[in-house]
Amino acid sequence: MSDTGPFPMTRLRRLRYHPQVRALVRETQLDPGDLILPLFVRSGKGIRTEIGSMPGVYQMSLDVLAEEVKSIASLGLGGIILFGIPERKDHTGSDALSDSGIVAQALRVAKQAAPELLAISDVCFCEYTDHGHCGIVNDKHGRVDVDNDATLTILGQQAVAHAKAGADVIAPSGMMDGMVGAIRGALDKAGYTHVPLMSYAVKYASAFYGPFRDAAESAPQFGDRRTYQMDPASGPGQALREAELDVQEGADMLMVKPALAYLDILRAVHERFPGVPLAAYNVSGEYSMVKAAAAKGWIDERAVVLESLLAMRRAGATMILTYWAKQVAAWLKS
Ligand code: PBG
């Protein structure tokens, strides 16, 4: 391994003695430009409702969103990702397909208020359907489930509606087979060949999404998401197949989600696809746990957050979606 001899010739503490030397030899960095802030939007005016399970995270109306993006435009963040709570949910999630749907409106507002801030749209149906599942639900041969191929068509429509509204990046999160290819095809046909896809390629059926479902009001009304999201017990083998298919279908960036409990998966995807930018989603449950412990004075929020995000970067994440993006930008500056 090492070219030098053992102790006492080698003393690794020499690299740790001086703070400047520690900084010089540091291998992983955090930068605000690598962080993406999720935002939750709904209709109304003057609304800024804190999510009970996510202190510091709000559902906001479009006027408040405009103020929010203006105030964060100077932080140097990598971007925002928008999630919408529509006024009315229905069986097919039609709000998501409309040019006047909540996310389409939010994209226009955000791009007008802060044109230089990258706006990513999450493309999925769970926030828009009355049943809370990520696509069209029907009964086939006595099995009620999300219809994969029927959902692909409307995923393409949703992506085009978002691109038209100004989305800089489209991020499909529904874990349908073939979703990346279907969305790429729809975008290209509509003339949006330049809009990149960040695929939630490796997304587990995780209990860590609990608080997000409060924030997005998107909990499934029956059953769970285990027929489309991955089994937490499955290892890098299946994750790499998911990632590979998405790359073949045209994914420009990949994502692993959640982050902290899946750093092994993050590392495996990074090693297999070193040239594909990789995102880690530091999900709602990871946020809430730290917030709760910090509120009790049991842990140091800032130190724990910076250490956790560094771990994701160390494991191979190019970028991180995190509810702490604004605070981290401020912490890194100070
Ligand atoms: C689906 C989506 C979910 C999250 C991001 N996109 C929820 C789910 O799959 O149930 C979760 C993010 C988080 O927990 O922070 N549109």
mmCIF file of all heavy atoms in Angstrom, residues 135-154:
data_model
loop_
_atom_site.group_PDB
_atom_site.id
_atom_site.type_symbol
_atom_site.label_atom_id
_atom_site.label_comp_id
_atom_site.label_asym_id
_atom_site.label_seq_id
_atom_site.Cartn_x
_atom_site.Cartn_y
_atom_site.Cartn_z
ATOM 1 N N GLY A 135 -49.158 7.007 -10.517
ATOM 2 C CA GLY A 135 -49.567 6.855 -11.899
ATOM 3 C C GLY A 135 -51.036 6.468 -11.977
ATOM 4 O O GLY A 135 -51.769 6.590 -10.995
ATOM 5 N N ILE A 136 -51.426 5.982 -13.147
ATOM 6 C CA ILE A 136 -52.815 5.565 -13.357
ATOM 7 C C ILE A 136 -53.049 4.223 -12.666
ATOM 8 O O ILE A 136 -52.311 3.269 -12.892
ATOM 9 C CB ILE A 136 -53.103 5.439 -14.873
ATOM 10 C CG1 ILE A 136 -53.066 6.842 -15.508
ATOM 11 C CG2 ILE A 136 -54.431 4.741 -15.110
ATOM 12 C CD1 ILE A 136 -53.236 6.835 -17.008
ATOM 13 N N VAL A 137 -54.059 4.192 -11.805
ATOM 14 C CA VAL A 137 -54.369 2.947 -11.104
ATOM 15 C C VAL A 137 -55.555 2.284 -11.787
ATOM 16 O O VAL A 137 -56.554 2.941 -12.062
ATOM 17 C CB VAL A 137 -54.707 3.232 -9.623
ATOM 18 C CG1 VAL A 137 -55.292 1.991 -8.959
ATOM 19 C CG2 VAL A 137 -53.458 3.694 -8.876
ATOM 20 N N ASN A 138 -55.419 1.020 -12.101
ATOM 21 C CA ASN A 138 -56.579 0.273 -12.588
ATOM 22 C C ASN A 138 -56.538 -1.163 -12.118
ATOM 23 O O ASN A 138 -55.598 -1.589 -11.448
ATOM 24 C CB ASN A 138 -56.732 0.401 -14.110
ATOM 25 C CG ASN A 138 -55.483 -0.024 -14.849
ATOM 26 O OD1 ASN A 138 -54.733 -0.857 -14.348
ATOM 27 N ND2 ASN A 138 -55.266 0.533 -16.020
ATOM 28 N N ASP A 139 -57.588 -1.864 -12.463
ATOM 29 C CA ASP A 139 -57.776 -3.234 -11.997
ATOM 30 C C ASP A 139 -57.554 -4.149 -13.187
ATOM 31 O O ASP A 139 -58.345 -4.157 -14.130
ATOM 32 C CB ASP A 139 -59.215 -3.366 -11.462
ATOM 33 C CG ASP A 139 -59.477 -4.742 -10.872
ATOM 34 O OD1 ASP A 139 -58.760 -5.708 -11.227
ATOM 35 O OD2 ASP A 139 -60.409 -4.855 -10.057
ATOM 36 N N LYS A 140 -56.444 -4.863 -13.166
ATOM 37 C CA LYS A 140 -56.150 -5.773 -14.281
ATOM 38 C C LYS A 140 -56.086 -7.190 -13.725
ATOM 39 O O LYS A 140 -55.268 -7.455 -12.837
ATOM 40 C CB LYS A 140 -54.783 -5.407 -14.895
ATOM 41 C CG LYS A 140 -54.887 -4.424 -16.049
ATOM 42 C CD LYS A 140 -53.573 -4.387 -16.830
ATOM 43 C CE LYS A 140 -53.648 -3.358 -17.937
ATOM 44 N NZ LYS A 140 -52.319 -3.043 -18.478
ATOM 45 N N HIS A 141 -56.912 -8.050 -14.236
ATOM 46 C CA HIS A 141 -56.927 -9.444 -13.803
ATOM 47 C C HIS A 141 -57.068 -9.537 -12.280
ATOM 48 O O HIS A 141 -56.383 -10.329 -11.635
ATOM 49 C CB HIS A 141 -55.658 -10.180 -14.247
ATOM 50 C CG HIS A 141 -55.261 -9.878 -15.661
ATOM 51 N ND1 HIS A 141 -56.057 -10.210 -16.732
ATOM 52 C CD2 HIS A 141 -54.178 -9.236 -16.172
ATOM 53 C CE1 HIS A 141 -55.472 -9.816 -17.855
ATOM 54 N NE2 HIS A 141 -54.334 -9.205 -17.542
ATOM 55 N N GLY A 142 -57.890 -8.667 -11.712
ATOM 56 C CA GLY A 142 -58.140 -8.732 -10.276
ATOM 57 C C GLY A 142 -57.036 -8.131 -9.414
ATOM 58 O O GLY A 142 -57.084 -8.223 -8.193
ATOM 59 N N ARG A 143 -56.041 -7.503 -10.057
ATOM 60 C CA ARG A 143 -54.987 -6.855 -9.280
ATOM 61 C C ARG A 143 -55.085 -5.349 -9.463
ATOM 62 O O ARG A 143 -54.926 -4.843 -10.571
ATOM 63 C CB ARG A 143 -53.589 -7.324 -9.738
ATOM 64 C CG ARG A 143 -53.177 -8.663 -9.155
ATOM 65 C CD ARG A 143 -51.735 -9.000 -9.535
ATOM 66 N NE ARG A 143 -50.763 -8.102 -8.907
ATOM 67 C CZ ARG A 143 -50.044 -7.198 -9.563
ATOM 68 N NH1 ARG A 143 -50.168 -7.032 -10.854
ATOM 69 N NH2 ARG A 143 -49.175 -6.457 -8.900
ATOM 70 N N VAL A 144 -55.326 -4.647 -8.356
ATOM 71 C CA VAL A 144 -55.386 -3.189 -8.432
ATOM 72 C C VAL A 144 -53.972 -2.669 -8.233
ATOM 73 O O VAL A 144 -53.343 -2.926 -7.201
ATOM 74 C CB VAL A 144 -56.325 -2.616 -7.345
ATOM 75 C CG1 VAL A 144 -56.320 -1.100 -7.386
ATOM 76 C CG2 VAL A 144 -57.734 -3.162 -7.529
ATOM 77 N N ASP A 145 -53.455 -1.985 -9.250
ATOM 78 C CA ASP A 145 -52.059 -1.528 -9.161
ATOM 79 C C ASP A 145 -51.848 -0.383 -10.149
ATOM 80 O O ASP A 145 -52.712 -0.085 -10.961
ATOM 81 C CB ASP A 145 -51.119 -2.698 -9.509
ATOM 82 C CG ASP A 145 -49.691 -2.463 -9.006
ATOM 83 O OD1 ASP A 145 -49.400 -1.370 -8.465
ATOM 84 O OD2 ASP A 145 -48.864 -3.381 -9.166
ATOM 85 N N VAL A 146 -50.673 0.248 -10.070
ATOM 86 C CA VAL A 146 -50.341 1.299 -11.017
ATOM 87 C C VAL A 146 -50.038 0.639 -12.366
ATOM 88 O O VAL A 146 -49.222 -0.285 -12.449
ATOM 89 C CB VAL A 146 -49.125 2.121 -10.537
ATOM 90 C CG1 VAL A 146 -48.743 3.157 -11.580
ATOM 91 C CG2 VAL A 146 -49.443 2.795 -9.211
ATOM 92 N N ASP A 147 -50.711 1.110 -13.396
ATOM 93 C CA ASP A 147 -50.550 0.578 -14.750
ATOM 94 C C ASP A 147 -49.316 1.243 -15.376
ATOM 95 O O ASP A 147 -49.349 2.415 -15.737
ATOM 96 C CB ASP A 147 -51.823 0.881 -15.552
ATOM 97 C CG ASP A 147 -51.785 0.266 -16.953
ATOM 98 O OD1 ASP A 147 -50.681 0.153 -17.542
ATOM 99 O OD2 ASP A 147 -52.862 -0.071 -17.461
ATOM 100 N N ASN A 148 -48.263 0.468 -15.473
ATOM 101 C CA ASN A 148 -46.979 1.018 -15.917
ATOM 102 C C ASN A 148 -47.067 1.744 -17.258
ATOM 103 O O ASN A 148 -46.766 2.932 -17.381
ATOM 104 C CB ASN A 148 -45.946 -0.113 -16.004
ATOM 105 C CG ASN A 148 -44.527 0.396 -16.174
ATOM 106 O OD1 ASN A 148 -43.831 0.654 -15.194
ATOM 107 N ND2 ASN A 148 -44.075 0.597 -17.414
ATOM 108 N N ASP A 149 -47.540 1.008 -18.288
ATOM 109 C CA ASP A 149 -47.442 1.546 -19.639
ATOM 110 C C ASP A 149 -48.440 2.677 -19.901
ATOM 111 O O ASP A 149 -48.136 3.613 -20.647
ATOM 112 C CB ASP A 149 -47.592 0.415 -20.670
ATOM 113 C CG ASP A 149 -46.447 -0.605 -20.533
ATOM 114 O OD1 ASP A 149 -45.699 -0.540 -19.523
ATOM 115 O OD2 ASP A 149 -46.302 -1.464 -21.414
ATOM 116 N N ALA A 150 -49.610 2.601 -19.242
ATOM 117 C CA ALA A 150 -50.570 3.698 -19.383
ATOM 118 C C ALA A 150 -50.001 4.966 -18.746
ATOM 119 O O ALA A 150 -50.217 6.078 -19.227
ATOM 120 C CB ALA A 150 -51.894 3.324 -18.724
ATOM 121 N N THR A 151 -49.237 4.787 -17.676
ATOM 122 C CA THR A 151 -48.658 5.938 -16.970
ATOM 123 C C THR A 151 -47.570 6.619 -17.810
ATOM 124 O O THR A 151 -47.384 7.834 -17.738
ATOM 125 C CB THR A 151 -48.108 5.485 -15.601
ATOM 126 O OG1 THR A 151 -49.187 4.914 -14.849
ATOM 127 C CG2 THR A 151 -47.512 6.636 -14.818
ATOM 128 N N LEU A 152 -46.864 5.822 -18.616
ATOM 129 C CA LEU A 152 -45.778 6.402 -19.423
ATOM 130 C C LEU A 152 -46.275 7.531 -20.321
ATOM 131 O O LEU A 152 -45.615 8.561 -20.474
ATOM 132 C CB LEU A 152 -45.113 5.317 -20.282
ATOM 133 C CG LEU A 152 -44.374 4.212 -19.522
ATOM 134 C CD1 LEU A 152 -43.707 3.246 -20.503
ATOM 135 C CD2 LEU A 152 -43.333 4.799 -18.563
ATOM 136 N N THR A 153 -47.453 7.336 -20.887
ATOM 137 C CA THR A 153 -47.996 8.350 -21.801
ATOM 138 C C THR A 153 -48.203 9.680 -21.073
ATOM 139 O O THR A 153 -47.815 10.738 -21.567
ATOM 140 C CB THR A 153 -49.347 7.857 -22.370
ATOM 141 O OG1 THR A 153 -49.146 6.545 -22.882
ATOM 142 C CG2 THR A 153 -49.848 8.776 -23.465
ATOM 143 N N ILE A 154 -48.802 9.621 -19.890
ATOM 144 C CA ILE A 154 -49.088 10.884 -19.199
ATOM 145 C C ILE A 154 -47.826 11.457 -18.533
ATOM 146 O O ILE A 154 -47.742 12.658 -18.322
ATOM 147 C CB ILE A 154 -50.273 10.769 -18.205
ATOM 148 C CG1 ILE A 154 -50.041 9.683 -17.161
ATOM 149 C CG2 ILE A 154 -51.574 10.526 -18.970
ATOM 150 C CD1 ILE A 154 -51.098 9.678 -16.050
#
